[in-house]
Every structure is written in C-alpha cells, then in structure tokens.
Amino acid sequence: MKKILLASGCSMTDLNYVSETSPEIDCSWPKWPELLAKKLDMECINLGQNGAGNEYIYSSLLEKILEKKDQIGLVIAAWSQCQRKDYQKWNIWTEKRFDPDGDVFGWLRKTLRYMISLQLVCERYN
C-alpha cells in the first residue's frame, strides 16, 4: 500500500481551480501536490480550495490526519495570506479575502499557532 501525500492550500493547490478574473481559461493541468506525489510514488489527497485561508488549511489537514493517521507519509500545508478569514456554515467552508477584525500582528500570531499546532500533531502521529 502506498503512503499518502496530504496537502492543503489555496488556489495554487486547488485541483479544481477556476480563475475568477478569466473563468474561460482551462486550468485542468495537474497541480503541484499531484506532481509531487507522482515523483515520490505516493497516493495524493489534495484538500486545496480556492481562496482558502490558514484556518481552513489547518482544519482540513487536522481532520484528515486524524482519519488516515496510519497511512500518511507526508503532510504539506501551503499556508495562505494571514489576513484571510475562513468560516463554516452548515459544514461548508467559505472565506472572505480580508478579515476586517484585528491587525497584521494578530493574524500572524494566529497563523503561527496553526503552524506550531500542525507540527505537534504531525510529530505525535509520526
């Protein structure tokens, strides 16, 4: 059984990316997680989502790590801009490009907490 490469991020990671400014452009090329998984001979689980912020990236990886912890070989968080605001409504993730509450220092501290927490979870499950 192949190990899993688990990745999450924003538009550059999104397997189903559609350009907001030029939706007619065909963006169906393989994204970096699939290309890297192929080079490493791993199965790819790509959780990337266009416009995603760091809360989504952290949460999507955490949930999948807990579900597949014994099968994962590599986890990559392609962190996004710190000022993006993510939230769930009826279990569907959505985002705003800019969080009107807080400042850059608060957003950076929040992102650093996600990074450290994800690192600790990955170390815990090896």
Side-chain angles (χ1 to χ4, degrees), residues 30-113:
K31 305 308 183 282
W32 67 264
E34 289 74 30
L35 296 172
L36 182 58
K38 185 176 180 180
K39 283 190 177 285
L40 297 175
D41 194 31
M42 300 176 88
E43 176 188 340
C44 183
I45 297 179
N46 182 350
L47 304 171
Q49 182 173 304
N50 194 28
N54 293 327
E55 184 176 357
Y56 167 80
I57 294 167
Y58 170 79
S59 299
S60 64
L61 289 171
L62 181 63
E63 290 173 10
K64 196 57 76 172
I65 289 169
L66 296 176
E67 178 187 330
K68 306 256 185 198
K69 57 186 170 260
D70 297 327
Q71 303 165 38
I72 296 172
L74 180 61
V75 175
I76 301 177
W79 299 109
S80 185
Q81 298 168 339
C82 67
Q83 74 274 17
R84 288 187 177 177
K85 181 177 185 175
D86 300 305
Y87 56 95
Q88 279 184 298
K89 187 173 183 179
W90 304 108
N91 206 28
I92 296 172
W93 280 95
T94 189
E95 89 292 323
K96 292 187 178 180
R97 296 289 179 165
F98 187 80
D99 187 350
D101 302 317
D103 63 13
V104 70
F105 300 109
W107 300 323
L108 284 170
R109 281 192 294 275
K110 183 169 72 170
T111 295
L112 288 171
R113 287 190 294 268

